[in-house]
Amino acid sequence: MEQNNLQVHENEVAFLKAYFNMISHSFEDGACFFTTDLEKVTYKQAEIFDMQGLDVGTQFSQRGIAAQAIQSRQVVTQDLDRNIYGIRVHAVGGPVWNENDSEIVGAWALTTPRQHKLVNAFEAFAPIITESLPEGGFICITDREKCIKRQGSAKFDMTEIQVGESIRDGSCLAETLKQKKQVMIDVDAAVFGFPVRTVGVPLVDDTTDEIVGTFNIGIPRKLATDLKELAQNLDQGLTGVAA
């Protein structure tokens, strides 16, 4: 049966709830299932991922998936931006019909977080990169407001950047979002005891071209600094001997 021809009746909603409960653990980034009447949310079940502000008894957004399903009178699929639910969401939903198919009495919807490809692959590649760097390294990914993924190394870590912490004004993260392009900033030795180079790259949504976050890497430059100081000391020593 084609998706748009799928019709759910009010006496079948209990089956949908049970089905989601059975498969909810299969969504790696989490999922949220909810049902509505024509005005408000009547049921919600979240697994890892939750739709903040969308609670039982509250009115659903007229720009959201439930409203679209009711208005279109068929199953719809949407990629919703963050100004609707506060997070980028992939959603599928459909109307709920009464038993004789004469009118729509509500809607059902399944939503999952819409992540950039790098976010989904982060745990696979980040430890390999940070540990393969000669002096170690640090990698993080942010959305437009905060850090959402981080990976330090055994030799080097930027502990002041933690998951959930807001992006600081003037940081490489903030400048990458502000300038909407790759940014490189050198942090002097006062912060870590040796210079660190940080590079940020904006993450762009494939479908909307919206900048949705940043990918950042921090690399210590201790070895380069030590070699430079050694060369200066050697040059001074040779100058003294020559004198």
Side-chain angles (χ1 to χ4, degrees):
M1 179 181 293
E2 292 183 4
Q3 187 183 71
N4 286 349
N5 293 330
L6 176 67
Q7 283 192 313
V8 174
H9 299 88
E10 53 188 338
N11 61 354
E12 298 168 333
V13 172
F15 170 77
L16 280 183
K17 295 176 182 178
Y19 181 70
F20 175 75
N21 184 59
M22 182 176 64
I23 68 169
S24 59
H25 299 288
S26 64
F27 294 92
E28 184 176 351
D29 296 317
C32 179
F33 175 82
F34 65 95
T35 62
T36 75
D37 57 21
L38 296 179
E39 296 180 354
K40 61 184 182 300
V41 178
T42 56
Y43 173 85
K44 184 178 83 166
Q45 182 179 352
E47 178 69 25
I48 303 175
F49 165 70
D50 195 5
M51 301 282 285
Q52 299 297 328
L54 191 73
D55 300 312
V56 174
T58 62
Q59 290 188 336
F60 54 83
S61 171
Q62 292 305 306
R63 296 179 296 162
I65 188 67
Q68 293 298 318
I70 292 171
Q71 292 168 11
S72 65
R73 303 173 70 85
Q74 64 182 8
V75 175
V76 293
T77 301
Q78 287 186 325
D79 287 332
L80 304 171
D81 59 32
R82 68 182 66 253
N83 61 13
I84 297 178
Y85 294 119
I87 186 173
R88 296 166 65 244
V89 170
H90 176 74
V92 57
V96 176
W97 297 81
N98 63 2
E99 292 186 12
N100 58 12
D101 292 336
S102 61
E103 62 179 307
I104 293 172
V105 296
W108 61 269
L110 175 64
T111 61
T112 56
R114 189 158 56 96
Q115 306 277 29
H116 192 276
K117 295 175 182 178
L118 282 181
V119 177
N120 295 329
F122 189 83
E123 279 74 15
F125 73 82
I128 298 174
I129 292 178
T130 55
E131 295 299 341
S132 65
L133 296 168
E135 299 178 85
F138 170 82
I139 293 175
C140 75
I141 291 179
T142 75
D143 57 20
R144 295 187 59 85
E145 299 174 351
K146 62 186 180 302
C147 174
I148 59 174
K149 297 280 186 179
R150 74 180 306 280
Q151 178 68 50
S153 63
K155 294 180 180 179
F156 175 72
D157 195 0
M158 298 177 71
T159 56
E160 73 278 12
I161 301 177
Q162 297 292 331
V163 171
E165 289 192 2
S166 299
I167 296 174
R168 301 176 185 176
D169 291 341
S171 66
C172 184
L173 315 178
E175 289 301 309
T176 302
L177 288 172
K178 180 180 178 180
Q179 299 183 31
K180 299 180 180 181
K181 64 179 183 179
Q182 179 175 312
V183 172
M184 182 175 65
I185 295 178
D186 287 329
V187 182
D188 62 38
V191 178
F192 298 102
F194 47 84
V196 172
R197 172 160 291 178
T198 58
V199 179
V201 179
L203 299 181
V204 180
D205 185 278
D206 292 338
T207 57
T208 65
D209 290 331
E210 172 196 10
I211 294 179
V212 297
T214 67
F215 174 82
N216 305 268
I217 183 168
I219 303 174
R221 304 181 66 198
K222 186 175 185 302
L223 179 59
T225 302
D226 289 346
L227 290 174
K228 183 178 180 180
E229 291 179 353
L230 178 61
Q232 290 175 342
N233 292 336
L234 181 60
D235 180 64
Q236 292 173 359
L238 292 174
T239 301
V241 170

